Amino acid sequence: MSDEFVGSGDPAYEAKVLMISVAARMAGMHPQTLRQYDRLGLVQPGRAAGGGRRYSVRDVVLLREVQRLSQDDGINLAGVKRIIGLERLLEEAQQRVARLEAELDAAYRRIAELEALARFPGSDLVPTNRTSTALVVWRPRRPER
């Protein structure tokens, strides 16, 4: 899905501020069609104080994708709903993978720091053997009294 209005990282992208008539016009559809998509659960509008539906730019981009899939590709609305659900799951999984990769990178950096400490004399960390990456804390025995 393309987001040609604002970047998806922009808070305005998620803000539910567009009235149904404006969102429908931006998406190139009739407001009644937008209401139908709402009833099917394809978009989830916010609500204004008076109870009116409010949509975000993200919703408009999604509505355009729904229109493209149903009109250009001939996919029925049940199929469109399934595709959009799977795309959401994929996006969540990609975000999780990115977070886990960042955590793994941080762990590798920490290991490298600990290995560097083990190479310097006077360090409390020493390798257990030459083929292992495990480290142990070495404390010399104190003389018995």
Side-chain angles (χ1 to χ4, degrees), residues 55-91:
Y55 297 90
S56 67
V57 172
R58 178 188 204 96
D59 294 327
V60 171
V61 170
L62 177 62
L63 290 166
R64 285 181 170 184
E65 181 69 2
V66 169
Q67 288 285 87
R68 188 190 66 74
L69 288 169
S70 64
Q71 292 177 359
D72 298 347
D73 296 343
I75 299 171
N76 67 24
L77 292 179
V80 170
K81 186 174 181 178
R82 181 73 175 145
I83 289 168
I84 290 170
L86 291 171
E87 285 179 345
R88 282 186 185 138
L89 285 174
L90 177 61
E91 184 178 329

Side-chain angles (χ1 to χ4, degrees), residues 2-145:
S2 112
D3 35 13
E4 51 192 81
F5 302 105
V6 292
S8 58
D10 189 331
Y13 188 73
E14 303 289 337
K16 303 274 187 176
V17 296
L18 302 171
M19 295 185 311
I20 191 168
S21 59
V22 174
R25 191 173 337 114
M26 289 173 72
M29 65 181 62
H30 193 277
Q32 192 60 40
T33 305
L34 201 161
R35 285 187 195 94
Q36 179 186 5
Y37 291 168
D38 180 7
R39 280 192 299 277
L40 291 171
L42 295 172
V43 290
Q44 289 85 31
R47 295 288 177 175
R53 293 177 173 97
R54 295 293 185 261
Y55 297 90
S56 67
V57 172
R58 178 188 204 96
D59 294 327
V60 171
V61 170
L62 177 62
L63 290 166
R64 285 181 170 184
E65 181 69 2
V66 169
Q67 288 285 87
R68 188 190 66 74
L69 288 169
S70 64
Q71 292 177 359
D72 298 347
D73 296 343
I75 299 171
N76 67 24
L77 292 179
V80 170
K81 186 174 181 178
R82 181 73 175 145
I83 289 168
I84 290 170
L86 291 171
E87 285 179 345
R88 282 186 185 138
L89 285 174
L90 177 61
E91 184 178 329
E92 290 168 8
Q94 288 171 331
Q95 290 171 355
R96 183 162 190 244
V97 165
R99 277 194 315 272
L100 291 172
E101 285 176 339
E103 288 177 23
L104 184 60
D105 288 343
Y108 280 136
R109 280 192 302 276
R110 183 65 180 141
I111 288 170
E113 290 170 5
L114 293 173
E115 286 175 342
L117 285 174
R119 290 187 189 107
F120 293 108
S123 171
D124 288 341
L125 298 175
V126 295
T128 56
N129 63 42
R130 300 266 180 223
T131 60
S132 173
T133 58
L135 297 175
V136 295
V137 176
W138 179 76
R139 291 192 176 100
R141 288 188 183 176
R142 294 185 178 155
E144 293 182 28
R145 296 181 194 182

